[in-house]
Short mmCIF file of all heavy atoms in Angstrom, two decimals:
data_model
loop_
_atom_site.label_atom_id
_atom_site.label_comp_id
_atom_site.label_asym_id
_atom_site.label_seq_id
_atom_site.Cartn_x
_atom_site.Cartn_y
_atom_site.Cartn_z
N LYS O 277 63.90 90.66 108.48
CA LYS O 277 64.78 89.76 107.73
C LYS O 277 66.24 90.18 107.82
O LYS O 277 67.14 89.52 107.28
CB LYS O 277 64.34 89.71 106.26
CG LYS O 277 62.98 89.08 106.07
CD LYS O 277 62.78 88.63 104.62
CE LYS O 277 61.37 88.10 104.42
NZ LYS O 277 60.35 89.19 104.51
N LEU O 278 66.48 91.31 108.47
CA LEU O 278 67.84 91.85 108.54
C LEU O 278 68.64 91.23 109.68
O LEU O 278 68.10 90.93 110.74
CB LEU O 278 67.79 93.35 108.79
CG LEU O 278 67.77 94.28 107.59
CD1 LEU O 278 67.75 95.71 108.10
CD2 LEU O 278 68.98 94.07 106.71
N SER O 279 69.93 91.09 109.41
CA SER O 279 70.83 90.68 110.46
C SER O 279 71.85 91.79 110.67
O SER O 279 72.63 92.10 109.77
CB SER O 279 71.53 89.38 110.06
OG SER O 279 72.54 89.09 110.99
N ILE O 280 71.82 92.41 111.83
CA ILE O 280 72.72 93.54 112.13
C ILE O 280 73.86 93.04 112.99
O ILE O 280 73.63 92.38 114.02
CB ILE O 280 71.98 94.65 112.89
CG1 ILE O 280 70.70 95.05 112.15
CG2 ILE O 280 72.88 95.85 113.12
CD1 ILE O 280 70.90 95.85 110.88
N GLY O 281 75.06 93.30 112.59
CA GLY O 281 76.23 92.89 113.36
C GLY O 281 76.77 94.03 114.20
O GLY O 281 76.84 95.16 113.73
N ILE O 282 77.12 93.75 115.42
CA ILE O 282 77.71 94.77 116.32
C ILE O 282 79.14 94.32 116.60
O ILE O 282 79.36 93.39 117.38
CB ILE O 282 76.92 94.86 117.64
CG1 ILE O 282 75.43 95.02 117.39
CG2 ILE O 282 77.48 95.98 118.51
CD1 ILE O 282 75.00 96.38 116.87
N PRO O 283 80.13 94.93 115.94
CA PRO O 283 81.51 94.46 116.15
C PRO O 283 82.03 94.92 117.50
O PRO O 283 82.07 96.12 117.79
CB PRO O 283 82.28 95.12 115.01
CG PRO O 283 81.35 96.05 114.32
CD PRO O 283 80.05 96.05 115.00
N LYS O 284 82.43 93.96 118.29
CA LYS O 284 82.79 94.31 119.67
C LYS O 284 84.05 95.16 119.76
O LYS O 284 84.21 95.96 120.68
CB LYS O 284 82.93 93.03 120.52
CG LYS O 284 84.02 92.10 120.06
CD LYS O 284 84.07 90.88 120.97
CE LYS O 284 85.30 90.07 120.65
NZ LYS O 284 85.19 88.71 121.12
N GLU O 285 84.93 95.01 118.76
CA GLU O 285 86.17 95.79 118.81
C GLU O 285 85.93 97.29 118.62
O GLU O 285 86.82 98.10 118.89
CB GLU O 285 87.14 95.30 117.73
CG GLU O 285 87.73 93.93 117.99
CD GLU O 285 86.80 92.81 117.55
OE1 GLU O 285 85.73 93.13 116.98
OE2 GLU O 285 87.13 91.64 117.77
N TYR O 286 84.72 97.65 118.17
CA TYR O 286 84.44 99.07 117.96
C TYR O 286 84.06 99.76 119.26
O TYR O 286 83.83 100.97 119.29
CB TYR O 286 83.37 99.25 116.87
CG TYR O 286 83.96 99.15 115.48
CD1 TYR O 286 84.57 97.97 115.05
CD2 TYR O 286 83.97 100.23 114.61
CE1 TYR O 286 85.15 97.87 113.80
CE2 TYR O 286 84.52 100.14 113.34
CZ TYR O 286 85.13 98.95 112.96
OH TYR O 286 85.70 98.86 111.71
N HIS O 287 84.02 98.99 120.32
CA HIS O 287 83.93 99.59 121.64
C HIS O 287 85.35 100.00 121.97
O HIS O 287 86.05 99.33 122.74
CB HIS O 287 83.38 98.56 122.64
CG HIS O 287 83.13 99.15 123.99
ND1 HIS O 287 82.33 98.56 124.92
CD2 HIS O 287 83.58 100.29 124.56
CE1 HIS O 287 82.29 99.29 126.02
NE2 HIS O 287 83.05 100.34 125.83
N ALA O 288 85.78 101.08 121.33
CA ALA O 288 87.20 101.44 121.37
C ALA O 288 87.54 102.25 122.61
O ALA O 288 86.66 102.90 123.19
CB ALA O 288 87.52 102.25 120.12
#
Side-chain angles (χ1 to χ4, degrees):
Chain O
K277 294 199 184 69
L278 269 181
S279 171
I280 308 287
I282 309 287
K284 63 180 189 200
E285 290 83 3
Y286 279 62
H287 185 162

